[in-house]
Amino acid sequence: MSDNGKTERALDLLVYAPVGVALYLRDTVPTFVNLFVSRGKAELGQRRQQAQDQVAQAKAMGEFAVNFGGPKVREHVEKGIALARKGAESVLGGAGDEGGVPDAADDAPSPAPAPGPDRAAANSKAARRPAGKSTHTSTTTKTAAPAPAATTLVIPDYDELSASQVVERLDGLPASELDAVRAYEEAHRARRTILYKIEQLTS
């Protein structure tokens, strides 16, 4: 290769080539930069839009849950409270009326009855009354039979027992004893549970 050829080759590599590359870069770099900027903006805009969509969806679901779920939950709670109240009222209203269930007042032990008047004193007073006079306004009115004393009942310590305890002891008693218990109970506390049980056993 001649010296001229080598010189031209050197000029191509050392002068013209760098100048050409510089001019190419000057022309193309803004284009690539703009391309990269546009691509970055598009990517960031897409991500921002996705995030906004997710936030809006979560907000809509929260509002729906508050507006729709709250009243539904409140309605279910109110229905449950109403059912519980009705059940309690039915239990309290029917206690003691069916199946011999004792009343709250029936279960309390009764105080010992006050001792009755002395029959001998009553008879002496009756003997001192003038003949032909009566304390009753009508001679046709029948005097009710006196209730038996608690000590004569076949159930010991009757006045100390609750209604449910008395009911447990009524099974197997003869009719005469049941009548005595009924007469005593009607004259004193008249507990419905006991009277209803005696009615069942004697019917």
Side-chain angles (χ1 to χ4, degrees), residues 34-99:
N34 293 334
L35 178 63
F36 295 151
V37 170
S38 300
R39 179 65 181 273
K41 288 182 178 179
E43 186 69 20
L44 290 177
Q46 184 178 1
R47 296 294 178 86
R48 186 181 297 109
Q49 185 63 35
Q50 290 178 354
Q52 291 176 354
D53 292 342
Q54 292 178 355
V55 171
Q57 183 178 4
K59 183 179 180 181
M61 292 179 63
E63 292 177 352
F64 177 80
V66 170
N67 296 331
F68 181 77
K72 285 296 182 181
V73 172
R74 189 181 303 109
E75 182 180 352
H76 285 297
V77 171
E78 291 177 353
K79 286 183 178 180
I81 293 174
L83 290 176
R85 184 183 296 113
K86 288 182 180 179
E89 290 176 354
S90 63
V91 170
L92 293 176
D97 293 337
E98 298 294 336

Short mmCIF file of all heavy atoms in Angstrom, two decimals, residues 34-99:
data_model
loop_
_atom_site.label_atom_id
_atom_site.label_comp_id
_atom_site.label_asym_id
_atom_site.label_seq_id
_atom_site.Cartn_x
_atom_site.Cartn_y
_atom_site.Cartn_z
N ASN A 34 -36.13 11.56 23.34
CA ASN A 34 -37.56 11.78 23.31
C ASN A 34 -38.35 10.46 23.36
O ASN A 34 -39.41 10.36 24.00
CB ASN A 34 -37.95 12.57 22.06
CG ASN A 34 -37.41 13.99 22.09
OD1 ASN A 34 -37.18 14.56 23.17
ND2 ASN A 34 -37.18 14.57 20.92
N LEU A 35 -37.81 9.46 22.68
CA LEU A 35 -38.46 8.15 22.69
C LEU A 35 -38.47 7.56 24.10
O LEU A 35 -39.49 7.05 24.58
CB LEU A 35 -37.75 7.21 21.72
CG LEU A 35 -38.29 5.78 21.64
CD1 LEU A 35 -39.73 5.78 21.13
CD2 LEU A 35 -37.42 4.93 20.71
N PHE A 36 -37.33 7.63 24.77
CA PHE A 36 -37.24 7.10 26.14
C PHE A 36 -38.13 7.88 27.09
O PHE A 36 -38.81 7.30 27.96
CB PHE A 36 -35.79 7.14 26.62
CG PHE A 36 -34.87 6.25 25.84
CD1 PHE A 36 -33.52 6.57 25.70
CD2 PHE A 36 -35.34 5.09 25.23
CE1 PHE A 36 -32.67 5.76 24.97
CE2 PHE A 36 -34.48 4.28 24.49
CZ PHE A 36 -33.14 4.60 24.35
N VAL A 37 -38.15 9.20 26.93
CA VAL A 37 -39.00 10.03 27.80
C VAL A 37 -40.47 9.69 27.59
O VAL A 37 -41.26 9.55 28.55
CB VAL A 37 -38.73 11.52 27.54
CG1 VAL A 37 -39.77 12.38 28.26
CG2 VAL A 37 -37.33 11.90 28.02
N SER A 38 -40.86 9.56 26.35
CA SER A 38 -42.26 9.23 26.05
C SER A 38 -42.62 7.86 26.62
O SER A 38 -43.72 7.67 27.19
CB SER A 38 -42.49 9.25 24.54
OG SER A 38 -42.21 10.53 24.01
N ARG A 39 -41.71 6.90 26.46
CA ARG A 39 -41.97 5.55 26.98
C ARG A 39 -42.09 5.58 28.51
O ARG A 39 -42.98 4.94 29.10
CB ARG A 39 -40.84 4.62 26.56
CG ARG A 39 -41.01 3.19 27.07
CD ARG A 39 -42.23 2.54 26.46
NE ARG A 39 -42.41 1.20 26.96
CZ ARG A 39 -41.82 0.11 26.40
NH1 ARG A 39 -41.03 0.26 25.34
NH2 ARG A 39 -42.05 -1.08 26.88
N GLY A 40 -41.20 6.35 29.16
CA GLY A 40 -41.27 6.44 30.62
C GLY A 40 -42.56 7.10 31.09
O GLY A 40 -43.19 6.66 32.06
N LYS A 41 -42.95 8.21 30.42
CA LYS A 41 -44.19 8.88 30.79
C LYS A 41 -45.41 7.97 30.61
O LYS A 41 -46.32 7.95 31.44
CB LYS A 41 -44.36 10.15 29.96
CG LYS A 41 -43.40 11.28 30.33
CD LYS A 41 -43.68 12.52 29.49
CE LYS A 41 -42.78 13.68 29.89
NZ LYS A 41 -43.03 14.90 29.07
N ALA A 42 -45.41 7.24 29.51
CA ALA A 42 -46.54 6.34 29.26
C ALA A 42 -46.63 5.25 30.33
O ALA A 42 -47.71 4.91 30.82
CB ALA A 42 -46.42 5.72 27.88
N GLU A 43 -45.44 4.71 30.71
CA GLU A 43 -45.42 3.64 31.73
C GLU A 43 -45.88 4.18 33.07
O GLU A 43 -46.71 3.54 33.76
CB GLU A 43 -44.00 3.06 31.83
CG GLU A 43 -43.91 1.85 32.73
CD GLU A 43 -44.60 0.64 32.17
OE1 GLU A 43 -44.84 0.60 30.94
OE2 GLU A 43 -44.95 -0.26 32.96
N LEU A 44 -45.37 5.35 33.45
CA LEU A 44 -45.76 5.93 34.73
C LEU A 44 -47.25 6.31 34.72
O LEU A 44 -47.96 6.13 35.73
CB LEU A 44 -44.91 7.17 35.03
CG LEU A 44 -43.43 6.89 35.36
CD1 LEU A 44 -42.68 8.20 35.56
CD2 LEU A 44 -43.32 6.01 36.61
N GLY A 45 -47.74 6.83 33.61
CA GLY A 45 -49.15 7.16 33.53
C GLY A 45 -50.04 5.94 33.66
O GLY A 45 -51.09 5.97 34.32
N GLN A 46 -49.59 4.83 33.06
CA GLN A 46 -50.37 3.59 33.14
C GLN A 46 -50.40 3.06 34.58
O GLN A 46 -51.45 2.64 35.09
CB GLN A 46 -49.77 2.55 32.20
CG GLN A 46 -50.57 1.25 32.14
CD GLN A 46 -49.97 0.27 31.14
OE1 GLN A 46 -48.95 0.56 30.51
NE2 GLN A 46 -50.60 -0.88 31.00
N ARG A 47 -49.24 3.10 35.25
CA ARG A 47 -49.20 2.64 36.64
C ARG A 47 -50.05 3.53 37.55
O ARG A 47 -50.76 3.04 38.44
CB ARG A 47 -47.73 2.64 37.13
CG ARG A 47 -46.83 1.67 36.40
CD ARG A 47 -47.25 0.23 36.68
NE ARG A 47 -46.42 -0.70 35.94
CZ ARG A 47 -45.24 -1.17 36.38
NH1 ARG A 47 -44.73 -0.73 37.52
NH2 ARG A 47 -44.57 -2.05 35.65
N ARG A 48 -49.97 4.85 37.31
CA ARG A 48 -50.78 5.77 38.12
C ARG A 48 -52.27 5.53 37.91
O ARG A 48 -53.05 5.57 38.86
CB ARG A 48 -50.40 7.21 37.77
CG ARG A 48 -51.09 8.22 38.69
CD ARG A 48 -50.74 9.66 38.30
NE ARG A 48 -49.31 9.91 38.46
CZ ARG A 48 -48.47 10.07 37.44
NH1 ARG A 48 -48.92 10.00 36.18
NH2 ARG A 48 -47.19 10.31 37.64
N GLN A 49 -52.67 5.26 36.69
CA GLN A 49 -54.08 5.01 36.40
C GLN A 49 -54.55 3.71 37.07
O GLN A 49 -55.67 3.65 37.60
CB GLN A 49 -54.29 4.93 34.89
CG GLN A 49 -55.75 4.79 34.48
CD GLN A 49 -56.59 5.99 34.88
OE1 GLN A 49 -56.11 7.12 34.86
NE2 GLN A 49 -57.84 5.74 35.25
N GLN A 50 -53.70 2.68 37.05
CA GLN A 50 -54.06 1.42 37.71
C GLN A 50 -54.23 1.63 39.21
O GLN A 50 -55.17 1.10 39.82
CB GLN A 50 -52.98 0.37 37.43
CG GLN A 50 -52.95 -0.12 35.98
CD GLN A 50 -51.84 -1.11 35.75
OE1 GLN A 50 -51.01 -1.36 36.62
NE2 GLN A 50 -51.80 -1.68 34.54
N ALA A 51 -53.31 2.41 39.79
CA ALA A 51 -53.43 2.67 41.23
C ALA A 51 -54.70 3.44 41.55
O ALA A 51 -55.41 3.15 42.52
CB ALA A 51 -52.20 3.44 41.71
N GLN A 52 -55.03 4.44 40.73
CA GLN A 52 -56.25 5.20 40.95
C GLN A 52 -57.50 4.33 40.80
O GLN A 52 -58.46 4.46 41.56
CB GLN A 52 -56.31 6.39 39.99
CG GLN A 52 -55.28 7.47 40.28
CD GLN A 52 -55.31 8.58 39.25
OE1 GLN A 52 -56.04 8.49 38.25
NE2 GLN A 52 -54.53 9.63 39.47
N ASP A 53 -57.46 3.41 39.81
CA ASP A 53 -58.60 2.50 39.63
C ASP A 53 -58.77 1.60 40.83
O ASP A 53 -59.90 1.33 41.28
CB ASP A 53 -58.40 1.66 38.36
CG ASP A 53 -58.47 2.51 37.09
OD1 ASP A 53 -59.00 3.65 37.18
OD2 ASP A 53 -57.99 2.05 36.04
N GLN A 54 -57.66 1.08 41.38
CA GLN A 54 -57.76 0.21 42.55
C GLN A 54 -58.29 0.97 43.76
O GLN A 54 -59.12 0.46 44.52
CB GLN A 54 -56.39 -0.39 42.85
CG GLN A 54 -55.90 -1.38 41.81
CD GLN A 54 -54.51 -1.91 42.11
OE1 GLN A 54 -53.87 -1.46 43.06
NE2 GLN A 54 -54.05 -2.84 41.29
N VAL A 55 -57.82 2.22 43.95
CA VAL A 55 -58.32 3.02 45.07
C VAL A 55 -59.81 3.30 44.91
O VAL A 55 -60.59 3.22 45.87
CB VAL A 55 -57.51 4.34 45.17
CG1 VAL A 55 -58.15 5.28 46.18
CG2 VAL A 55 -56.07 4.05 45.56
N ALA A 56 -60.23 3.63 43.70
CA ALA A 56 -61.65 3.92 43.47
C ALA A 56 -62.50 2.67 43.71
O ALA A 56 -63.60 2.74 44.28
CB ALA A 56 -61.84 4.43 42.04
N GLN A 57 -61.99 1.51 43.27
CA GLN A 57 -62.74 0.27 43.48
C GLN A 57 -62.85 -0.06 44.96
O GLN A 57 -63.93 -0.44 45.44
CB GLN A 57 -62.05 -0.88 42.73
CG GLN A 57 -62.79 -2.20 42.82
CD GLN A 57 -62.10 -3.29 42.02
OE1 GLN A 57 -61.02 -3.07 41.48
NE2 GLN A 57 -62.69 -4.45 41.96
N ALA A 58 -61.75 0.11 45.70
CA ALA A 58 -61.80 -0.16 47.13
C ALA A 58 -62.74 0.81 47.84
O ALA A 58 -63.50 0.43 48.75
CB ALA A 58 -60.39 -0.05 47.73
N LYS A 59 -62.73 2.08 47.42
CA LYS A 59 -63.63 3.06 48.02
C LYS A 59 -65.08 2.72 47.75
O LYS A 59 -65.95 2.83 48.63
CB LYS A 59 -63.30 4.45 47.48
CG LYS A 59 -64.12 5.56 48.10
CD LYS A 59 -63.71 6.90 47.53
CE LYS A 59 -64.55 8.03 48.15
NZ LYS A 59 -64.16 9.34 47.58
N ALA A 60 -65.38 2.30 46.50
CA ALA A 60 -66.75 1.93 46.15
C ALA A 60 -67.22 0.73 46.97
O ALA A 60 -68.36 0.69 47.46
CB ALA A 60 -66.85 1.64 44.66
N MET A 61 -66.33 -0.26 47.12
CA MET A 61 -66.70 -1.44 47.92
C MET A 61 -66.92 -1.06 49.38
O MET A 61 -67.84 -1.57 50.04
CB MET A 61 -65.59 -2.49 47.80
CG MET A 61 -65.47 -3.11 46.41
SD MET A 61 -64.14 -4.32 46.31
CE MET A 61 -64.71 -5.54 47.46
N GLY A 62 -66.09 -0.15 49.91
CA GLY A 62 -66.29 0.28 51.29
C GLY A 62 -67.60 1.01 51.48
O GLY A 62 -68.32 0.78 52.46
N GLU A 63 -67.93 1.90 50.53
CA GLU A 63 -69.21 2.60 50.63
C GLU A 63 -70.40 1.66 50.52
O GLU A 63 -71.40 1.80 51.22
CB GLU A 63 -69.29 3.67 49.54
CG GLU A 63 -68.30 4.82 49.73
CD GLU A 63 -68.36 5.82 48.59
OE1 GLU A 63 -69.08 5.52 47.60
OE2 GLU A 63 -67.72 6.88 48.69
N PHE A 64 -70.27 0.67 49.64
CA PHE A 64 -71.36 -0.32 49.51
C PHE A 64 -71.53 -1.11 50.80
O PHE A 64 -72.66 -1.36 51.25
CB PHE A 64 -71.05 -1.25 48.34
CG PHE A 64 -72.06 -2.34 48.16
CD1 PHE A 64 -73.27 -2.11 47.54
CD2 PHE A 64 -71.81 -3.63 48.64
CE1 PHE A 64 -74.21 -3.11 47.38
CE2 PHE A 64 -72.74 -4.63 48.49
CZ PHE A 64 -73.94 -4.38 47.85
N ALA A 65 -70.40 -1.51 51.38
CA ALA A 65 -70.48 -2.28 52.63
C ALA A 65 -71.10 -1.47 53.75
O ALA A 65 -71.90 -1.97 54.54
CB ALA A 65 -69.08 -2.76 53.03
N VAL A 66 -70.75 -0.17 53.80
CA VAL A 66 -71.30 0.68 54.86
C VAL A 66 -72.79 0.94 54.64
O VAL A 66 -73.61 0.85 55.55
CB VAL A 66 -70.51 2.00 54.95
CG1 VAL A 66 -71.21 2.99 55.88
CG2 VAL A 66 -69.09 1.73 55.43
N ASN A 67 -73.15 1.26 53.39
CA ASN A 67 -74.54 1.64 53.11
C ASN A 67 -75.48 0.45 53.08
O ASN A 67 -76.65 0.56 53.46
CB ASN A 67 -74.62 2.37 51.76
CG ASN A 67 -73.86 3.69 51.78
OD1 ASN A 67 -73.74 4.32 52.82
ND2 ASN A 67 -73.35 4.09 50.63
N PHE A 68 -74.99 -0.69 52.63
CA PHE A 68 -75.86 -1.86 52.50
C PHE A 68 -75.68 -2.84 53.66
O PHE A 68 -76.66 -3.33 54.22
CB PHE A 68 -75.57 -2.58 51.19
CG PHE A 68 -76.44 -3.79 50.96
CD1 PHE A 68 -77.75 -3.66 50.56
CD2 PHE A 68 -75.93 -5.06 51.17
CE1 PHE A 68 -78.55 -4.77 50.36
CE2 PHE A 68 -76.72 -6.19 50.96
CZ PHE A 68 -78.03 -6.03 50.56
N GLY A 69 -74.43 -3.09 54.02
CA GLY A 69 -74.18 -4.07 55.07
C GLY A 69 -74.59 -3.60 56.44
O GLY A 69 -75.10 -4.37 57.25
N GLY A 70 -74.39 -2.29 56.73
CA GLY A 70 -74.76 -1.78 58.06
C GLY A 70 -76.22 -1.97 58.38
O GLY A 70 -76.57 -2.55 59.42
N PRO A 71 -77.15 -1.50 57.53
CA PRO A 71 -78.58 -1.72 57.82
C PRO A 71 -78.96 -3.19 57.91
O PRO A 71 -79.81 -3.58 58.72
CB PRO A 71 -79.28 -1.02 56.64
CG PRO A 71 -78.31 0.01 56.18
CD PRO A 71 -76.96 -0.60 56.39
N LYS A 72 -78.32 -4.04 57.06
CA LYS A 72 -78.64 -5.46 57.12
C LYS A 72 -78.22 -6.06 58.46
O LYS A 72 -78.97 -6.83 59.08
CB LYS A 72 -77.95 -6.20 55.97
CG LYS A 72 -78.58 -5.98 54.62
CD LYS A 72 -79.98 -6.56 54.58
CE LYS A 72 -80.61 -6.38 53.20
NZ LYS A 72 -82.00 -6.91 53.16
N VAL A 73 -77.02 -5.71 58.89
CA VAL A 73 -76.56 -6.23 60.18
C VAL A 73 -77.45 -5.73 61.30
O VAL A 73 -77.84 -6.47 62.21
CB VAL A 73 -75.09 -5.81 60.42
CG1 VAL A 73 -74.66 -6.16 61.83
CG2 VAL A 73 -74.17 -6.49 59.41
N ARG A 74 -77.82 -4.44 61.25
CA ARG A 74 -78.69 -3.89 62.27
C ARG A 74 -80.06 -4.57 62.25
O ARG A 74 -80.65 -4.85 63.29
CB ARG A 74 -78.86 -2.38 62.04
CG ARG A 74 -79.58 -1.67 63.18
CD ARG A 74 -79.75 -0.18 62.89
NE ARG A 74 -78.47 0.46 62.66
CZ ARG A 74 -78.07 0.90 61.48
NH1 ARG A 74 -78.86 0.78 60.42
NH2 ARG A 74 -76.90 1.49 61.33
N GLU A 75 -80.55 -4.87 61.05
CA GLU A 75 -81.86 -5.54 60.95
C GLU A 75 -81.80 -6.93 61.56
O GLU A 75 -82.71 -7.34 62.28
CB GLU A 75 -82.26 -5.62 59.48
CG GLU A 75 -83.62 -6.26 59.24
CD GLU A 75 -83.96 -6.33 57.76
OE1 GLU A 75 -83.21 -5.74 56.95
OE2 GLU A 75 -84.98 -6.95 57.42
N HIS A 76 -80.71 -7.67 61.25
CA HIS A 76 -80.58 -9.01 61.84
C HIS A 76 -80.48 -8.95 63.35
O HIS A 76 -81.08 -9.77 64.07
CB HIS A 76 -79.35 -9.71 61.26
CG HIS A 76 -79.54 -10.20 59.85
ND1 HIS A 76 -80.48 -11.16 59.50
CD2 HIS A 76 -78.93 -9.85 58.69
CE1 HIS A 76 -80.43 -11.39 58.20
NE2 HIS A 76 -79.49 -10.61 57.68
N VAL A 77 -79.74 -7.97 63.87
CA VAL A 77 -79.61 -7.84 65.32
C VAL A 77 -80.95 -7.52 65.96
O VAL A 77 -81.34 -8.10 66.99
CB VAL A 77 -78.56 -6.76 65.66
CG1 VAL A 77 -78.56 -6.47 67.15
CG2 VAL A 77 -77.17 -7.22 65.23
N GLU A 78 -81.70 -6.59 65.34
CA GLU A 78 -83.01 -6.24 65.89
C GLU A 78 -83.97 -7.42 65.84
O GLU A 78 -84.76 -7.63 66.77
CB GLU A 78 -83.58 -5.05 65.11
CG GLU A 78 -82.82 -3.74 65.36
CD GLU A 78 -83.36 -2.61 64.51
OE1 GLU A 78 -84.23 -2.89 63.66
OE2 GLU A 78 -82.92 -1.46 64.71
N LYS A 79 -83.91 -8.20 64.75
CA LYS A 79 -84.77 -9.39 64.69
C LYS A 79 -84.40 -10.38 65.79
O LYS A 79 -85.28 -10.98 66.43
CB LYS A 79 -84.65 -10.05 63.32
CG LYS A 79 -85.36 -9.30 62.20
CD LYS A 79 -85.25 -10.06 60.89
CE LYS A 79 -86.00 -9.33 59.78
NZ LYS A 79 -85.90 -10.05 58.49
N GLY A 80 -83.11 -10.58 66.01
CA GLY A 80 -82.69 -11.50 67.06
C GLY A 80 -83.14 -11.03 68.43
O GLY A 80 -83.61 -11.84 69.25
N ILE A 81 -83.04 -9.72 68.68
CA ILE A 81 -83.48 -9.20 69.98
C ILE A 81 -84.99 -9.37 70.13
O ILE A 81 -85.48 -9.73 71.21
CB ILE A 81 -83.08 -7.72 70.09
CG1 ILE A 81 -81.54 -7.60 70.17
CG2 ILE A 81 -83.71 -7.08 71.33
CD1 ILE A 81 -81.05 -6.18 70.15
N ALA A 82 -85.75 -9.12 69.06
CA ALA A 82 -87.21 -9.27 69.13
C ALA A 82 -87.60 -10.72 69.40
O ALA A 82 -88.48 -10.99 70.22
CB ALA A 82 -87.85 -8.78 67.84
N LEU A 83 -86.92 -11.66 68.73
CA LEU A 83 -87.23 -13.07 68.96
C LEU A 83 -86.90 -13.48 70.39
O LEU A 83 -87.65 -14.22 71.03
CB LEU A 83 -86.46 -13.93 67.96
CG LEU A 83 -86.91 -13.84 66.49
CD1 LEU A 83 -86.00 -14.67 65.60
CD2 LEU A 83 -88.36 -14.31 66.34
N ALA A 84 -85.75 -13.00 70.88
CA ALA A 84 -85.37 -13.34 72.25
C ALA A 84 -86.36 -12.77 73.25
O ALA A 84 -86.74 -13.42 74.23
CB ALA A 84 -83.96 -12.82 72.53
N ARG A 85 -86.86 -11.53 72.99
CA ARG A 85 -87.82 -10.92 73.89
C ARG A 85 -89.14 -11.69 73.89
O ARG A 85 -89.74 -11.92 74.94
CB ARG A 85 -88.06 -9.46 73.48
CG ARG A 85 -88.97 -8.71 74.45
CD ARG A 85 -89.25 -7.29 73.98
NE ARG A 85 -88.04 -6.50 73.97
CZ ARG A 85 -87.46 -6.04 72.87
NH1 ARG A 85 -88.00 -6.31 71.69
NH2 ARG A 85 -86.37 -5.31 72.94
N LYS A 86 -89.58 -12.09 72.67
CA LYS A 86 -90.83 -12.86 72.60
C LYS A 86 -90.69 -14.20 73.32
O LYS A 86 -91.60 -14.64 74.02
CB LYS A 86 -91.21 -13.09 71.14
CG LYS A 86 -91.71 -11.83 70.44
CD LYS A 86 -92.11 -12.13 69.01
CE LYS A 86 -92.62 -10.88 68.29
NZ LYS A 86 -93.00 -11.18 66.90
N GLY A 87 -89.53 -14.86 73.14
CA GLY A 87 -89.33 -16.12 73.83
C GLY A 87 -89.35 -15.96 75.34
O GLY A 87 -89.95 -16.76 76.06
N ALA A 88 -88.70 -14.90 75.82
CA ALA A 88 -88.68 -14.67 77.27
C ALA A 88 -90.07 -14.36 77.79
O ALA A 88 -90.48 -14.84 78.85
CB ALA A 88 -87.72 -13.53 77.59
N GLU A 89 -90.85 -13.56 77.02
CA GLU A 89 -92.20 -13.25 77.46
C GLU A 89 -93.09 -14.48 77.48
O GLU A 89 -93.91 -14.65 78.38
CB GLU A 89 -92.80 -12.18 76.55
CG GLU A 89 -92.15 -10.80 76.71
CD GLU A 89 -92.70 -9.79 75.71
OE1 GLU A 89 -93.50 -10.23 74.84
OE2 GLU A 89 -92.34 -8.60 75.80
N SER A 90 -92.93 -15.35 76.47
CA SER A 90 -93.75 -16.56 76.45
C SER A 90 -93.39 -17.49 77.60
O SER A 90 -94.26 -18.10 78.20
CB SER A 90 -93.57 -17.28 75.11
OG SER A 90 -92.23 -17.71 74.95
N VAL A 91 -92.08 -17.56 77.92
CA VAL A 91 -91.67 -18.42 79.04
C VAL A 91 -92.19 -17.87 80.35
O VAL A 91 -92.74 -18.59 81.19
CB VAL A 91 -90.13 -18.54 79.06
CG1 VAL A 91 -89.68 -19.23 80.35
CG2 VAL A 91 -89.65 -19.36 77.87
N LEU A 92 -92.05 -16.54 80.54
CA LEU A 92 -92.51 -15.94 81.79
C LEU A 92 -94.03 -15.98 81.90
O LEU A 92 -94.58 -16.16 82.97
CB LEU A 92 -92.01 -14.49 81.88
CG LEU A 92 -90.49 -14.32 82.02
CD1 LEU A 92 -90.13 -12.85 82.00
CD2 LEU A 92 -89.99 -14.99 83.27
N GLY A 93 -94.72 -15.77 80.75
CA GLY A 93 -96.18 -15.77 80.79
C GLY A 93 -96.76 -17.16 81.01
O GLY A 93 -97.81 -17.30 81.63
N GLY A 94 -96.08 -18.20 80.50
CA GLY A 94 -96.61 -19.54 80.63
C GLY A 94 -96.11 -20.31 81.82
O GLY A 94 -96.49 -21.44 82.03
N ALA A 95 -95.21 -19.71 82.60
CA ALA A 95 -94.65 -20.42 83.76
C ALA A 95 -95.74 -20.65 84.79
O ALA A 95 -96.46 -19.75 85.17
CB ALA A 95 -93.52 -19.61 84.38
N GLY A 96 -95.87 -21.85 85.24
CA GLY A 96 -96.82 -22.18 86.29
C GLY A 96 -98.19 -22.54 85.78
O GLY A 96 -99.01 -23.02 86.54
N ASP A 97 -98.48 -22.27 84.47
CA ASP A 97 -99.82 -22.55 83.94
C ASP A 97 -99.90 -23.90 83.25
O ASP A 97 -100.97 -24.48 83.14
CB ASP A 97 -100.24 -21.46 82.96
CG ASP A 97 -100.44 -20.13 83.66
OD1 ASP A 97 -100.69 -20.16 84.88
OD2 ASP A 97 -100.36 -19.08 82.99
N GLU A 98 -98.80 -24.44 82.72
CA GLU A 98 -98.82 -25.69 81.96
C GLU A 98 -97.85 -26.68 82.59
O GLU A 98 -96.76 -26.33 83.00
CB GLU A 98 -98.40 -25.45 80.50
CG GLU A 98 -99.32 -24.52 79.74
CD GLU A 98 -100.70 -25.13 79.55
OE1 GLU A 98 -100.78 -26.36 79.59
OE2 GLU A 98 -101.67 -24.39 79.39
N GLY A 99 -98.27 -27.96 82.62
CA GLY A 99 -97.36 -29.04 83.00
C GLY A 99 -96.89 -28.98 84.43
O GLY A 99 -95.88 -29.56 84.77
#
